[in-house]
Amino acid sequence: MESLIGLLIGAPLLGAAVLLVGGRRLDRVGHLLATLLAAVSFVLAVVLFLDLLGEESEARTLHQHLFTWVPVADFQADVAFRLDPLSMTFVLLITSVGTLIHLYSIGYMEHDERRRRFFAYLNLFLGAMLLLVLADNYLLLYVGWEGVGLASFLLIGFWQHKPSAATAAKKAFIVNRVGDVGLSIAILLMFTTFGTFAFEPVLENASGASEATLTGIGLMLLLAACGKSAQVPLQSWLGDAMEGPTPVSALIHAATMVTAGVYLITRSGAVFDAAPDAQTVVVVVGAVTLLFGAIVGCAKDDIKKALAGSTMSQIGYMMLAAGLGPIGYVFAIMHLVTHGFFKAGLFLGAGSVMHGMNDEVDMRRYGGLRKHMPITFATFGLAYLAIIGFPYLSGFFSKDEIIYAGFSKGGTEGWILGGVMLLGAALTAYYMTRIMLLTFFGEKRWQPDASGHEPHPHESPLTMTIPMIILAFGSVGAGFFFDLNENFVHWLEPVTGLEHGDSPVAHGTVGIAATAVMVLGVAGAWWQYGRRPVPAVAPQGRFLTRAARRDLLQDDFNHAAFVRPGNYLTRGLVYLDHKLVDGVVNGTAAAFGGASGRLRRVQNGFARSYAVSMFGGAVLLVAATLLMRAV
Amino acid sequence: MSFPLLTATALTPAIGAIVTAAVPSARRTAAKWIALAFSLATVGFAAAIVLRFDTDAGADRYQLTESRSWIEDFGVRYELGVDGIGVAMIALTAVLIPFLIGAGWNDADPKEDEDEAPASRRWRPTQGFFALILAVEAMVVLSFAATDIFLFYIFFEAMLIPMYFLIGGFGDRAGEQGEEGQARQRSYAAVKFLLYNLVGGLVMLAALIGLYVATADQLEVGTFSLQAILEARGSGELDLATSTERWLFLGFFVAFAIKAPLWPVHTWLPNAMGESTAPVAVLITAVVDKVGTFAMLRFCLGLFPEASEWATPVVITLALVSIIYGALLALGQRDMKRLIAYASISHFGFIVLGIFVMTSQGQGGATLYMINHGIATAALMLVAGFLISRRGSRLISDYGGVQKTAPVLAGTFLIGGLGTLSLPGTGPFISEFLVLVGTFSRYEVAGIIACAGIVLAALYVLVLYQRTMTGPVKPGLEKLPDLRVRELAVVAPLIALLIFLGVYPQPLTDIVNPAVEHTLSDVDQTDPAPHLEEVEAGQ
Amino acid sequence: MSPENYLYLAALLFTLGACGVLLRRNAIVVFMCVELMLNAANLALVTFSRMHGNLDGQIMAFFVMVVAAAEVVVGLAIIVTVYRSRHSASVDDASLMKL
């Protein structure tokens, strides 16, 4: 069984290699091959899953040691995999959503001449993401970590001829690199502390290390997680990343890659449990991002950017839950999985809308689409209900558990966290309803584009709608299934542990409160966007609205704090290198040249002046001799 | 005495150089094929060295040794021998040269208007170009193999002569300032290269004589033999005074730092790499400069362990400055070859850092870094060269949207760039991470500063990629041809190697590890133990 | 008479010759002044020979005379050639020995 793990990762990687090396002659079959290999991965994942289910719950761990990777003295890195319930959960999510999105992309990218490459990159992403969650040490995880970053870079910038896409791709990679430095330093700290960076020894011995070290490791891991999961302060890339094709946004920037940070923190739970300070920072980052993303999501008119804000916010929930420790890990992952389904569904729906609307993304130019795209409307609507936490749909179960866990933190903190998350829930309901109303309800607001073509909204082809329908089922049923007999909790408990805090508020009360704020949010959105026609051009808005449209000024801040000083520094250094460092060298050379130029003048060609110097020399010699004698 | 494999490896390109140079001017193409054949034969010998080299823990430190008397009066001998590091470096050199010849296949052809030149022309540029490359190869191989310090010095210096002609005689035909300005720039670069390195060589010569005098003083006969000196040190026969050792160390180190090049003696590299053709630029940074860092490992640490330790803080500081400074300057360049040159300076900072932190990860990483940097820079620089030769400009701002017209070129360029920014999965990642581990386990702050280099590397590579390859197609590039078969044949194996070494570097680490152990024991250092074990041992 | 007086004379002659070499322009005069210096040296050598009572100085003087003779031959030839080509025997006119 173990040997299947390598195959699971290998299949999509092979696909990527074949498609990239194969060149044009694979243009016709490339997408089919890639989808097939993604499906192979999924089947293998299911086989492995069934195998794990057959084991006792404590023995559900498989190891595969492939080969020794980097052996230098004490530094021993292996290419080895570890499959336990936590990674299995991710593998199932990644391969299932991944396969569906491959399928969707066949339709979505049909008219793109570089479709083969697109699929190669998608396969590359799948392989790297699987490597990330299956690695059994941090260094191999790092390979997957940057691998998904690379795939994300390639896919965001897939339409490279658009400067905005190329810039967004670069920005995503660089911001992620900042996070990666955190991961590097965390691994370095682990190595100097534990002498290894494999999961098992590090996590088992974590309690033996000093708290300062663990806090350091924890904060560095958090930095990495912030980069990958677009959490404050490294959140700025996610909105721009929406320049990529929509299936990419669904797969990478909603369902899987951006949740890798949550995986990292959950996986390193033992480190965080022993470093309460680091945990506190995780919770704060989660809470801040939760509100940040929600506020941005409320103001954006670009449907994908609004959804991106939502993604940030939802991952904020997960981060917060993961920062709560063993009372939250399970629910962080549970929300992650349900979010994977409904957010992928939402993005695919958005893609379907754009497909029918000549790639228009401004929601103010949609309106009334429910009549033109019934399937998209239905699937999008179900995912919408799931994300706002409509009772007994997926989001209801997972989000309520997180809010309850927040209250369970106890004391003032518990009340603050619970309050923030309830506020977030209200905002979620507000911005999602806004998207819903602007897109599918009201009057049609679209106009002919610059070239005079009026969009003719139509339902998308089957390859696109089928994945949407399947994801809609997931959005509706996953939460209920997970909650049934506490299935999910029992499944993950051996890896993440589980504790029950004592909440000052009853579980049922939290559910009622969450539903109440949801209704409030929906009502608020309806009050603003449902009652009266929506203007096709955005009103100017107040300061907060304007700031939120500019992503709460995050880019302005980064620009002022890093980019501009960096530019000055670079230019200054180039100048200095030329004038000072090279100047010294050239100056030395010039000094020698000048000196020899002067000395040359002494050779004036007059025999008598040579005679003088000879005479002077002779006198000097004689004088020196006499002087030496005298002394 | 067994077959002198090392001599044969060096002699093959040397003979090749002579034969190539002797080809009549009308047979230009034949000269190219002859050069390629000789360089491939060298690869064969290098492969034999790798196979014959014994990597067992108990094996001799220096293997495949040869020893002949040469200048008895001064104790100079023709002594060759390689440890794992030397084997790796010789292999890198031998493997890269055929690619450089392939990449520079048409770089030295006479221009169209000269094609009808009379057959009696005495200057045969094409033959000369390839002959000079082979000559450099021969000398580089010998300096990697020499265990007699004087012998090493001779080739270390002699290498400058063919390099001088390669830089000054064969430039890009892609200038902003027209033919004449170009020639002036080129000769400026060549002279700068020569003078910088001659100064270093002079200082080294002084230190070399000093070392000889010291050995002659304390031992019965003076010697230049590395092995003899190491043995004498080990047995306590040779014991240099602290100040003597430091002066001698400085003499050697300055020469190697200039060659490496380390900040602040780096300014010759951007000029030399910018003005020469892409293959020659690769030859400089990937092969010739490596002699500098290699010699730091073999001679500075081996001969002057205490002085090396004494100098460590300063050297580490210089290395860190190089890393950050090189990366920042790379960001500020407008000329893509100079950009790659500054990136190399940053990478050499990493190599020197790894060498002087005195841990097995650091030094093993530094050795791997030399190999991986050679391959990654070769891939990036050669593709850049192909691009430059198409458009006739080195300015980044002259390009844009290349991936639209030449996707394969853009793709290979990106992979080379990703190697340069040390993406996991490519070779440089492993070496860079090892250097970081080695640094961090002893000097935490230095390790963290070096980490900043990771971000900057991503920045300059991706900015370069974005500006040249993406966006709308710049005017004049609409019909840019994609990579030709010859060019692809040059780049594809390099890329394969880059990825292979990132996934499965074990063959290389097997060869390098024992040598690193020996070097560490020379300087009498052991790796720091993990803190956790210390705590446990304390309890 | 004390032999030292010969030395003073030699010094005087040498100084005269040196001044002539440095100050006069005419190549022939310069040349004669060189001869004067050589002969001053000869006088000093012979005096030393006398003072120390051995023949070393006199032998040296013979050497100097032979060298001076050879020099006259070569020197005069050069001066004549220069005069033919430049119609001047001034040493300052022939200042071509520079870059």
Side-chain angles (χ1 to χ4, degrees):
Chain A
M1 262 311 147
E2 291 88 350
S3 57
L4 289 185
I5 304 177
L7 219 56
L8 183 71
I9 302 172
L13 284 182
L14 176 77
V18 167
L19 291 187
L20 284 178
V21 175
R24 296 246 161 84
R25 65 203 80 130
L26 290 178
D27 272 354
R28 284 190 184 182
V29 293
H31 51 287
L32 299 178
L33 181 70
T35 313
L36 179 71
L37 284 167
V40 165
S41 271
F42 177 62
V43 171
L44 287 173
V46 170
V47 171
L48 282 165
F49 177 59
L50 294 176
D51 184 59
L52 281 192
L53 278 184
E55 301 282 333
E56 285 294 308
S57 65
E58 295 299 320
R60 283 175 182 161
T61 306
L62 291 177
H63 290 281
Q64 186 189 13
H65 183 272
L66 225 52
F67 57 87
T68 306
W69 184 26
V70 194
V72 176
D74 295 336
F75 186 94
Q76 298 286 336
D78 293 333
V79 175
F81 306 121
R82 172 197 174 92
L83 185 73
D84 58 11
L86 180 59
S87 38
M88 192 72 239
T89 311
F90 270 89
V91 168
L92 284 174
L93 175 71
I94 295 160
T95 52
S96 60
V97 176
T99 310
L100 288 178
I101 286 176
H102 272 76
L103 194 62
Y104 179 90
S105 307
I106 294 179
Y108 191 85
M109 300 297 284
E110 197 176 358
H111 305 297
D112 197 300
E113 52 176 355
R114 293 161 73 232
R115 179 163 69 164
R116 172 181 55 83
R117 280 204 187 198
F118 181 80
F119 276 89
Y121 297 159
L122 273 190
N123 261 355
L124 175 68
F125 168 75
L126 270 194
M129 190 71 205
L130 289 171
L131 184 65
L132 193 165
V133 297
L134 284 169
D136 100 322
N137 60 62
Y138 283 97
L139 196 66
L140 194 61
L141 179 146
Y142 193 9
V143 175
W145 191 264
E146 288 238 1
V148 292
L150 169 67
S152 161
F153 166 78
L154 292 168
L155 286 166
I156 295 172
F158 185 72
W159 288 316
Q160 291 177 319
H161 53 89
K162 290 202 301 195
S164 56
T167 311
K170 182 192 69 184
K171 183 175 175 186
F173 197 97
I174 307 267
V175 175
N176 268 295
R177 265 260 153 157
V178 175
D180 294 347
V181 168
L183 188 52
S184 300
I185 295 178
I187 298 176
L188 298 179
L189 268 169
M190 283 177 203
F191 181 74
T192 50
T193 312
F194 305 105
T196 172
F197 36 77
F199 288 151
E200 265 176 42
V202 168
L203 297 176
E204 275 166 17
N205 296 324
S207 50
S210 72
E211 198 181 314
T213 315
L214 289 177
T215 308
I217 296 178
L219 289 178
M220 287 299 127
L221 288 175
L222 175 64
L223 180 64
C226 283
K228 201 54 85 194
S229 295
Q231 301 290 293
V232 175
L234 297 179
Q235 80 291 18
S236 64
W237 63 272
L238 187 62
D240 294 350
M242 297 298 129
E243 288 287 344
T246 309
V248 173
S249 311
L251 177 61
I252 302 186
H253 305 118
T256 56
M257 185 191 85
V258 285
T259 56
V262 180
Y263 169 79
L264 184 68
I265 288 182
T266 310
R267 174 59 85 193
S268 319
V271 172
F272 283 94
D273 292 345
D277 292 347
Q279 268 185 329
T280 310
V281 181
V282 176
V283 169
V284 170
V285 164
V288 170
T289 314
L290 186 167
L291 291 179
F292 189 105
I295 293 171
V296 171
C298 290
K300 290 284 185 186
D301 288 333
D302 178 328
I303 184 168
K304 288 178 72 182
K305 294 201 169 165
L307 287 175
S310 160
T311 305
M312 262 156 75
S313 170
Q314 297 300 315
I315 298 173
Y317 273 103
M318 300 171 208
M319 276 291 184
L320 200 159
L324 292 173
I327 53 174
Y329 292 137
V330 173
F331 305 115
I333 302 297
M334 184 160 140
H335 192 52
L336 192 156
V337 175
T338 55
H339 173 257
F341 285 119
F342 55 66
K343 187 51 69 60
L346 288 171
F347 265 111
L348 294 191
S352 176
V353 169
M354 287 162 58
H355 198 68
M357 295 287 294
N358 291 356
D359 289 330
E360 176 63 73
V361 290
D362 188 350
M363 289 190 287
R364 290 184 185 274
R365 293 177 182 274
Y366 292 166
L369 287 173
R370 68 180 184 283
K371 281 164 275 178
H372 300 277
M373 305 180 174
I375 302 178
T376 307
F377 169 63
T379 55
F380 197 94
L382 287 173
Y384 154 74
L385 292 176
I387 191 176
I388 63 173
F390 195 82
Y392 301 104
L393 298 187
S394 285
F396 173 73
F397 292 103
S398 51
K399 199 185 291 173
D400 281 9
E401 292 288 0
I402 293 180
I403 297 177
Y404 181 68
F407 278 116
S408 311
K409 177 89 174 165
T412 329
E413 291 171 51
W415 283 103
I416 295 174
L417 292 178
V420 165
M421 284 194 280
L422 282 176
L423 178 60
L427 286 171
T428 309
Y430 175 82
Y431 64 70
M432 282 312 301
T433 310
R434 175 174 175 267
I435 294 175
M436 212 48 202
L437 291 173
L438 285 178
T439 309
F440 292 103
F441 293 91
E443 293 304 308
K444 80 159 192 147
R445 289 185 298 274
W446 60 83
Q447 288 151 1
D449 60 12
S451 51
H453 294 294
E454 183 158 351
H456 296 287
H458 56 272
E459 191 53 86
S460 300
L462 272 184
T463 51
M464 288 169 69
T465 48
I466 289 175
M468 286 153 59
I469 294 169
I470 297 175
L471 285 171
F473 275 109
S475 317
V476 172
F480 185 73
F481 174 72
F482 290 159
D483 203 51
L484 199 68
N485 303 328
E486 302 207 313
N487 267 336
F488 198 75
V489 175
H490 292 310
W491 163 249
L492 272 188
E493 199 185 340
V495 187
T496 58
L498 179 69
E499 282 173 16
H500 292 286
D502 45 338
S503 164
V505 189
H507 199 286
T509 320
V510 171
I512 293 167
T515 313
V517 296
M518 176 202 91
V519 172
L520 268 180
V522 172
W526 180 80
W527 182 262
Q528 209 170 350
Y529 297 100
R531 286 184 310 144
R532 50 172 189 250
V534 180
V537 176
Q540 201 186 8
R542 268 160 306 184
F543 174 73
L544 183 65
T545 318
R546 286 206 303 273
R549 280 192 196 131
R550 292 180 65 94
D551 301 310
L552 293 178
L553 306 178
Q554 54 188 358
D555 283 332
D556 305 77
F557 172 76
N558 287 346
H559 203 76
F562 304 110
V563 178
R564 210 162 317 140
N567 275 341
Y568 287 133
L569 179 66
T570 315
R571 247 178 274 161
L573 278 179
V574 170
Y575 181 79
L576 274 188
D577 192 57
H578 189 62
K579 294 289 172 192
L580 188 72
V581 184
D582 217 16
V584 171
V585 177
N586 284 334
T588 316
F592 273 106
S596 53
R598 301 260 153 70
L599 278 175
R600 200 187 62 182
R601 303 240 179 90
V602 177
Q603 305 287 324
N604 54 11
F606 290 113
R608 291 186 305 142
S609 80
Y610 298 161
V612 170
S613 57
M614 253 170 80
F615 186 73
V619 169
L620 269 182
L621 274 178
V622 170
T625 318
L626 288 177
L627 210 66
M628 292 307 286
R629 275 263 179 91
V631 177
Chain B
M1 199 165 176
S2 59
F3 181 73
L5 203 48
L6 290 174
T7 306
T9 314
L11 217 53
T12 315
I15 295 172
I18 296 168
V19 175
T20 310
V23 173
S25 56
R27 301 285 178 85
R28 218 167 43 228
T29 316
K32 296 174 183 175
W33 285 107
I34 289 171
L36 187 63
F38 272 97
S39 71
L40 287 174
T42 318
V43 176
F45 280 115
I49 291 178
V50 172
L51 293 177
R52 285 266 297 279
F53 189 78
D54 185 356
T55 58
D56 286 346
D60 289 339
R61 176 169 184 181
Y62 293 106
Q63 298 179 26
L64 304 167
T65 48
E66 295 167 35
S67 184
R68 289 189 186 76
S69 71
W70 187 23
I71 314 175
E72 276 311 329
D73 290 346
F74 298 108
V76 177
R77 296 180 64 82
Y78 179 79
E79 275 190 358
L80 302 182
V82 280
D83 58 359
I85 303 174
V87 170
M89 297 316 295
I90 290 178
L92 170 74
T93 310
V95 166
L96 277 183
I97 298 292
F99 293 117
L100 299 187
I101 290 178
W105 202 250
N106 299 326
D107 280 4
D109 285 350
K111 286 166 222 168
E112 285 78 32
D113 48 339
E114 293 173 349
D115 241 1
E116 298 306 313
S120 63
R121 278 169 54 107
R122 276 192 292 167
W123 172 232
R124 287 165 298 171
T126 315
Q127 284 84 334
F129 183 73
F130 294 102
L132 287 170
I133 288 183
L134 287 174
V136 172
E137 180 182 16
M139 290 176 196
V140 169
V141 167
L142 277 169
S143 46
F144 284 137
T147 52
D148 185 288
I149 310 169
F150 193 81
L151 192 69
F152 168 81
Y153 170 76
I154 289 176
F155 295 115
F156 184 75
E157 288 288 273
M159 212 182 290
L160 302 179
I161 302 165
M163 281 315 301
Y164 171 80
F165 288 112
L166 278 174
I167 297 170
F170 304 90
D172 266 332
R173 287 165 203 165
E176 318 160 48
Q177 308 110 320
E179 197 80 358
E180 201 171 316
Q182 195 72 39
R184 205 167 40 240
Q185 283 286 320
R186 211 157 49 223
S187 80
Y188 170 74
V191 170
K192 197 169 177 180
F193 164 83
L194 190 69
L195 284 182
Y196 247 116
N197 282 286
L198 277 180
V199 168
L202 186 70
V203 179
M204 183 186 166
L205 181 64
L208 193 64
I209 294 170
L211 181 68
Y212 177 77
V213 171
T215 56
D217 241 16
Q218 298 189 15
L219 307 176
E220 280 153 31
V221 284
T223 177
F224 285 109
S225 163
L226 180 67
Q227 274 176 290
I229 294 176
L230 286 181
E231 271 169 35
R233 277 199 77 103
S235 64
E237 275 178 82
L238 182 70
D239 187 17
L240 299 175
T242 313
S243 63
T244 320
E245 188 179 326
R246 288 179 183 175
W247 279 113
L248 295 180
F249 168 84
L250 280 182
F252 278 77
F253 183 77
V254 166
F256 302 149
I258 288 177
K259 189 75 118 195
L262 200 61
W263 186 87
V265 283
H266 63 276
T267 52
W268 63 268
L269 187 71
N271 285 104
M273 277 176 76
E275 297 307 323
S276 51
T277 61
V280 175
V282 175
L283 191 68
I284 296 171
T285 183
V287 177
V288 171
D289 284 354
K290 296 292 165 16
V291 179
T293 44
F294 166 83
M296 281 183 200
L297 258 177
R298 180 177 260 190
F299 297 112
C300 280
L301 298 194
L303 293 172
F304 316 110
E306 282 151 31
S308 302
E309 220 185 316
W310 162 75
T312 297
V314 177
V315 178
I316 287 183
T317 312
L318 290 180
L320 287 176
V321 173
S322 287
I323 293 174
I324 305 293
Y325 187 90
L328 284 174
L329 270 134
L331 259 177
Q333 296 304 313
R334 300 183 304 133
D335 171 331
M336 63 172 98
K337 285 167 88 181
R338 288 177 66 93
L339 188 151
I340 299 173
Y342 276 107
S344 285
I345 290 170
S346 179
H347 289 138
F348 277 107
F350 271 106
I351 297 175
V352 174
L353 183 68
I355 292 174
F356 274 85
V357 294
M358 316 276 184
T359 53
S360 13
Q361 288 86 35
Q363 295 186 344
T367 311
L368 295 191
Y369 213 127
M370 292 191 231
I371 309 280
N372 288 322
H373 169 255
I375 297 167
T377 308
L380 183 62
M381 188 56 139
L382 292 180
V383 179
F386 298 148
L387 184 62
I388 289 167
S389 68
R390 281 165 168 66
R391 173 75 169 78
S393 166
R394 307 199 303 253
L395 286 183
I396 295 169
S397 53
D398 281 347
Y399 296 89
V402 172
Q403 64 86 27
K404 188 95 179 155
T405 46
V408 179
L409 191 150
T412 48
F413 189 77
L414 181 62
I415 299 177
L418 292 174
T420 305
L421 65 77
S422 306
L423 189 84
T426 60
F429 166 69
I430 292 171
S431 34
E432 191 163 294
F433 203 82
L434 280 171
V435 169
L436 288 176
V437 167
T439 310
F440 192 82
S441 57
R442 192 155 285 182
Y443 309 96
E444 298 191 350
V445 178
I448 291 173
I449 296 175
C451 277
I454 299 181
V455 178
L456 293 173
L459 211 53
Y460 61 69
V461 168
L462 292 186
V463 168
L464 173 66
Y465 179 78
Q466 188 197 349
R467 295 212 178 129
T468 53
M469 299 298 168
T470 68
V473 181
K474 273 267 165 88
L477 298 175
E478 295 88 354
K479 292 200 173 150
L480 200 77
D482 211 337
L483 286 189
R484 300 183 179 91
V485 176
R486 166 180 67 83
E487 294 166 332
L488 202 59
V490 167
V491 174
L494 285 175
I495 286 174
L497 207 56
L498 197 63
I499 293 172
F500 176 77
L501 286 178
V503 177
Y504 192 62
Q506 216 183 337
L508 202 57
T509 52
D510 281 349
I511 291 179
V512 169
N513 277 342
V516 170
E517 304 276 306
H518 280 297
T519 313
L520 267 188
S521 70
D522 279 348
V523 284
D524 206 14
Q525 298 270 9
T526 49
D527 292 330
H531 299 313
L532 205 59
E533 281 173 26
E534 283 172 15
V535 173
E536 277 160 13
Q539 277 164 359
Chain C
M1 195 169 81
S2 133
E4 284 176 17
N5 292 334
Y6 291 105
L7 288 183
Y8 291 133
L9 177 63
L12 195 66
L13 287 175
F14 189 87
T15 312
L16 279 174
C19 290
V21 169
L22 295 182
L23 300 176
R24 297 303 297 266
R25 284 207 181 79
N26 191 315
I28 304 286
V29 180
V30 170
F31 204 72
M32 279 157 59
C33 290
V34 170
E35 289 301 312
L36 193 59
M37 284 161 75
L38 286 170
N39 283 320
N42 276 346
L43 181 58
L45 285 169
V46 172
T47 313
F48 287 136
S49 172
R50 169 90 181 179
M51 280 164 74
H52 297 297
N54 62 20
L55 290 175
D56 291 1
Q58 297 195 25
I59 294 169
M60 280 306 292
F62 277 114
F63 271 107
V64 171
M65 282 156 74
V66 172
V67 170
E71 194 201 321
V72 167
V73 173
V74 179
L76 276 177
I78 291 174
I79 290 168
V80 169
T81 320
V82 169
Y83 183 79
R84 271 192 198 150
S85 66
R86 307 183 70 85
H87 302 288
S88 152
S90 165
V91 282
D92 285 2
D93 282 353
S95 62
L96 299 172
M97 290 198 301
K98 64 172 181 184
L99 268 172

